[in-house]
Amino acid sequence: MSIPHTTSPPRPPQHRPAVLYAGALAVCSALLLALVAVEWRPLLGLDGDISRTAHRWAVAEPGLTRAARILTDWVWDPWTMRVLCGVAAGLLVWRYADRWSAVWLVLTVAVATAVQQGLKAALGRARPVWPDPVDSAHYAAFPSGHAMTATVVCGLLLWLLHHHGIDRALWYAALAVAVVSVTGVGLTRVWLGVHWPTDVLGGWLFGALLVTAAVGMHRQRHP
């Protein structure tokens, strides 16, 4: 007895979530950049309302403001993040003999620094100015270098931990630290009155976009 031949159903098209994610980040980053560049009034108004409220709270709560300055100037400072990146690169070479990933990590963080400085110079957005400032900062405002650097370094290190098969519990602990750090550094910059909220949002978006692109490049080299 012959068995009738049945045609297997066609396979569904393979989705590329990483590409879609990168595309969404690119669109959001470009849109925010354009709105900041043309000084869209509703966006500036929202920035001003949030910043004035945050500054009023910062002046009224000197203890929290001192804590925010310690966190943003030492714990989450871009140079602290870059040192952490250098230590991680050294561990990649020493522990895993993964020189390519070490170079990839350092170069990606260097590119992030160049991108943020280039955007700052191109836009030249002024920082908030207060009659009673609680902190000060230099250079242009958009995007926030603190927020972008923390996003890039934490994002890359999280992916490297996953890539090298770290214990799941330890990875979740690292994820919690990364989320607190990236979110916290953005909030401290607005609290201290040295950045507009959209500066921080821009740092997060451009940082996440760069991490996505860098991880995609790493996966192409080491599937």
Side-chain angles (χ1 to χ4, degrees):
M1 182 177 64
S2 62
I3 300 176
H5 176 73
T6 58
T7 304
S8 60
R11 294 182 179 180
Q14 291 184 349
H15 298 285
R16 298 182 180 274
V19 174
L20 295 177
Y21 181 57
L25 284 172
V27 170
C28 292
S29 300
L31 178 60
L32 180 62
L33 178 63
L35 294 177
V36 170
V38 301
E39 299 182 349
W40 192 49
R41 287 188 178 274
L43 188 68
L44 298 184
L46 181 62
D47 265 344
D49 291 342
I50 297 174
S51 295
R52 282 188 291 271
T53 301
H55 180 69
R56 185 169 62 250
W57 291 346
V59 172
E61 299 290 343
L64 288 177
T65 300
R66 282 194 296 270
R69 291 188 66 175
I70 292 171
L71 289 171
T72 197
D73 291 341
W74 296 98
V75 181
W76 297 325
D77 182 77
W79 280 108
T80 303
M81 291 291 165
R82 291 170 189 140
V83 169
L84 179 61
C85 164
V87 171
L91 288 175
L92 284 169
V93 175
W94 174 70
R95 177 68 175 82
Y96 298 101
D98 191 355
R99 292 179 177 82
W100 193 90
S101 292
V103 173
W104 166 86
L105 175 62
V106 172
L107 286 180
T108 302
V109 174
V111 168
T113 301
V115 168
Q116 59 152 293
Q117 293 299 326
L119 289 173
K120 284 177 181 289
L123 290 180
R125 190 186 197 189
R127 292 178 184 266
V129 178
W130 310 106
D132 50 349
V134 297
D135 200 359
S136 62
H138 306 288
Y139 309 111
F142 186 92
S144 166
H146 281 69
M148 186 170 175
T149 304
T151 301
V152 170
V153 172
C154 291
L156 294 177
L157 294 183
L158 279 175
W159 186 81
L160 283 170
L161 290 174
H162 173 74
H163 179 68
H164 285 283
I166 195 172
D167 179 76
R168 179 172 296 183
L170 185 56
W171 189 88
Y172 279 119
L175 175 62
V177 171
V179 170
V180 170
S181 298
V182 172
T183 305
V185 72
L187 295 178
T188 59
R189 303 309 284 167
V190 177
W191 179 273
L192 294 171
V194 294
H195 272 297
W196 306 105
T198 47
D199 298 336
V200 172
L201 179 59
W204 286 337
L205 286 173
F206 281 102
L209 177 59
L210 188 56
V211 169
T212 304
V215 169
M217 183 181 69
H218 194 291
R219 282 175 170 165
Q220 285 187 344
R221 176 71 180 264
H222 298 286

